[in-house]
Amino acid sequence: MDLVVFGANGPTGRRVVSQALAAGHHVTAVTRKPDEYPVTSPSLSIAGADVIDQDAVERAVAGSQAVISTYGVPYSRSQITVYSDGIANIIRAMVANDVNRLVCVSSTTVATEDAPGESLLWRRAIGPFLRKVVGRTLYDDMQRMEEIVKSSDLDWTIVRPGGLFNADEPTDDYEVAPKRLSGRVTSRADLADALIKEVAEPGHPRTIIEVVTRSAQPSPLTFLKEAFGGGS
Ligand SMILES: NC(=O)c1ccc[n+]([C@@H]2O[C@H](COP(=O)([O-])OP(=O)(O)OC[C@H]3O[C@@H](n4cnc5c(N)ncnc54)[C@H](OP(=O)(O)O)[C@@H]3O)[C@@H](O)[C@H]2O)c1
């Protein structure tokens, strides 16, 4: 397939691009820094675009069959609008170019129901602290992004991972389901695998799904560094 990946230069996006190329897809990697893009392949095109630049987004999407969105920003005390403004531009560009399949990364943190088996400490203290204090502006905008995706007429899937961590390869031991899952973390390689399968296979159209890694787990220190250093 001809796939466009937004956020292609981020740690998840690079994995999506490499794993999609390895699976035989043609990929357009969208980044604001096209000159620094580290991946090369005859099946790869690199497009320079900020998601808030409607014309640049339209140029990147033209001629593709599906879009995977992985762009993101760190936590901030200031208002964040890039998730919602960016997805609105991507959807407008998709509609204008007759591209129907959108797979969009969000986060389990915006889920309103508790995950099964979640501890009281997490439900009452850590989860609300992440959602409503340190990450409030980010998750408020992610929620707006989800609403915009859901109200579109596209064949969309919203993919909510847990806290992301880096593992060399997909573990093949991750769970995907259209409901709350137990577990708080997702390997970026597993997330990339799930995103590519969503576009390439029938997947879960017009559904919110979660992706949680079961086997490899980051240390608590790595988890905290991701949450507070890496942002979202
Ligand atoms: N970190 C976590 O634990 C966690 C948990 C759940 C969900 N998520 C979400 O999962 C996704 C992937 O996270 P990640 O940590 O792998 O990546 P990330 O660091 O959040 O960001 C990925 C890339 O987004 C691009 N980007 C940012 N603003 C942009 C803009 N205005 N226009 C175009 N591109 C822009 C940047 O690339 P360029 O500078 O090259 O343009 C960046 O490298 C994000 O949506 C994130 O919010 C993260």
Side-chain angles (χ1 to χ4, degrees):
M1 289 181 81
D2 283 318
L3 307 179
V4 178
V5 180
F6 286 89
N9 204 19
T12 300
R14 268 184 249 143
R15 284 173 188 274
V16 172
V17 170
S18 302
Q19 290 171 215
L21 289 169
H25 299 292
H26 181 275
V27 180
T28 300
V30 186
T31 166
R32 290 169 299 176
K33 301 166 200 142
D35 297 341
E36 296 171 21
Y37 199 66
V39 182
T40 54
S41 161
S43 301
L44 176 67
S45 309
I46 300 164
D50 190 310
V51 288
I52 60 170
D53 178 344
Q54 176 70 64
D55 291 341
V57 170
E58 284 235 20
R59 284 193 295 276
V61 166
S64 66
Q65 292 170 291
V67 171
I68 299 178
S69 170
T70 69
Y71 67 88
V73 290
Y75 291 151
S76 168
R77 288 188 190 173
S78 310
Q79 199 192 9
I80 291 176
T81 59
V82 69
Y83 288 97
S84 53
D85 289 345
I87 211 69
N89 281 339
I90 290 170
I91 290 171
R92 268 193 289 271
M94 291 177 70
V95 171
N97 286 282
D98 214 12
V99 181
N100 204 32
R101 185 76 177 111
L102 170 64
V103 177
C104 173
V105 176
S106 175
S107 168
T108 52
T109 307
V110 299
T112 47
E113 271 174 61
D114 290 325
E118 191 51 272
S119 70
L120 190 64
L121 178 66
W122 189 277
R123 284 188 281 125
R124 294 280 168 83
I126 301 172
F129 181 65
L130 287 176
R131 170 66 185 88
K132 294 181 179 154
V133 183
V134 282
R136 183 180 59 80
T137 58
L138 188 153
Y139 295 118
D140 283 354
D141 196 40
M142 255 187 186
Q143 207 150 26
R144 288 191 287 272
M145 171 181 78
E146 287 199 356
E147 292 307 318
I148 292 169
V149 171
K150 284 192 284 181
S151 65
S152 78
D153 292 327
L154 297 178
D155 182 2
W156 56 265
T157 304
I158 291 169
V159 180
R160 291 176 174 167
L164 296 178
F165 68 98
N166 294 322
D168 289 340
E169 298 291 335
T171 63
D172 286 332
D173 184 21
Y174 66 89
E175 198 174 341
V176 176
K179 61 177 184 180
R180 293 296 343 250
L181 293 172
S182 60
R184 294 183 200 129
V185 293
T186 307
S187 139
R188 286 189 171 90
D190 288 344
L191 174 60
D193 195 57
L195 294 170
I196 295 161
K197 285 184 175 146
E198 268 304 310
V199 282
E201 295 171 11
H204 301 79
R206 300 187 72 78
T207 303
I208 297 175
I209 60 172
E210 294 199 358
V211 181
V212 173
T213 293
R214 293 283 165 226
S215 53
Q217 297 283 324
S219 69
L221 184 63
T222 307
F223 187 77
L224 287 174
K225 274 190 190 156
E226 275 284 347
F228 293 99
S232 54

